[in-house]
Amino acid sequence: DAGVIQSPRHEVTEMGQEVTLRCKPISGHDYLFWYRQTMMRGLELLIYFNNNVPIDDSGMPEDRFSAKMPNASFSTLKIQPSEPRDSAVYFCASKDGDTGANVLTFGAGSRLTVL
Amino acid sequence: AQSVAQPEDQVNVAEGNPLTVKCTYSVSGNPYLFWYVQYPNRGLQFLLKYITGDNLVKGSYGFEAEFNKSQTSFHLKKPSALVSDSALYFCAVRDWGTGGFKTIFGAGTRLFVKA
């Protein structure tokens, strides 16, 4: 398996534009998580899915953020409209809920810069 | 509420010397504890975990961690540091308060190993 795949790796956009980040989890993993990493706030959990269903989105900062998982192999995190304070590295992670060990496998991240 | 604390923002150690990266935790259920490492421009990688059993847990790249229930600590250790160990290290705990599917990460400790 190629691991968790995220795209794009880097995104530079202007304030007000829509941003879509993509994630392909490891095949067979039934949990998918979106995290945001900044220097000021560290690693924050935004939302997670189980079997494609959003379970907890309490970490989503505001209505400008939305996430979907239309099938087991694809998820998106969308920011509309984007703001400079959204600049961060966004990570997707997945895990196999059946193992019970709760070990996450992370993607390489998408670095977002909003000008 | 579950939480982890990493009291040191940065740890400096000379190559060949032993290293310790500190972590303390607070959990309301059984402590499932983890260490992850993040190299520059990469996602987090799992190093090791404690769920039950021996208090000394061995993981990847020669790292180990000691679970101490009385001190609620889970310090990461390595007998002989390498320059290539320089990275950002995260301690994490399974969040039983939300059904056990979330992972709470510490703020991270940056390790510098000097040649």
Side-chain angles (χ1 to χ4, degrees), chain A residues 46-115:
Chain A
L46 301 177
I47 185 172
Y48 78 94
F49 296 82
N50 176 218
N51 291 323
N52 315 336
V53 177
I55 304 300
D56 186 342
D57 65 353
S58 59
M60 297 285 262
E62 46 196 279
D63 293 344
R64 298 184 297 106
F65 286 69
S66 63
K68 294 182 180 180
M69 193 167 185
N71 57 62
S73 59
F74 183 67
S75 177
T76 59
L77 178 67
K78 186 175 293 185
I79 308 172
Q80 167 64 19
S82 59
E83 297 183 2
R85 58 192 169 123
D86 302 330
S87 297
V89 181
Y90 291 81
F91 288 103
C92 176
S94 68
K95 80 178 181 88
D96 180 354
D98 288 339
T99 65
N102 213 54
V103 173
L104 299 172
T105 302
F106 281 79
S110 295
R111 182 176 296 275
L112 173 65
T113 302
V114 183
L115 303 175

Side-chain angles (χ1 to χ4, degrees), chain B residues 17-75:
Chain B
N17 284 0
L19 71 86
T20 299
V21 183
K22 296 179 180 178
C23 172
T24 58
Y25 65 89
S26 174
V27 298
S28 57
N30 293 327
Y32 280 29
L33 299 161
F34 307 83
W35 277 101
Y36 288 79
V37 60
Q38 184 180 26
Y39 298 102
N41 300 313
R42 303 285 295 277
L44 279 69
Q45 298 176 33
F46 169 73
L47 272 181
L48 52 79
K49 68 181 184 294
Y50 172 83
I51 295 178
T52 187
D54 289 341
N55 289 342
L56 187 63
V57 180
K58 295 188 182 297
S60 306
Y61 312 122
F63 283 93
E64 57 189 27
E66 185 172 10
F67 171 68
N68 188 315
K69 187 174 183 178
S70 62
Q71 297 186 7
T72 61
S73 67
F74 189 56
H75 301 332

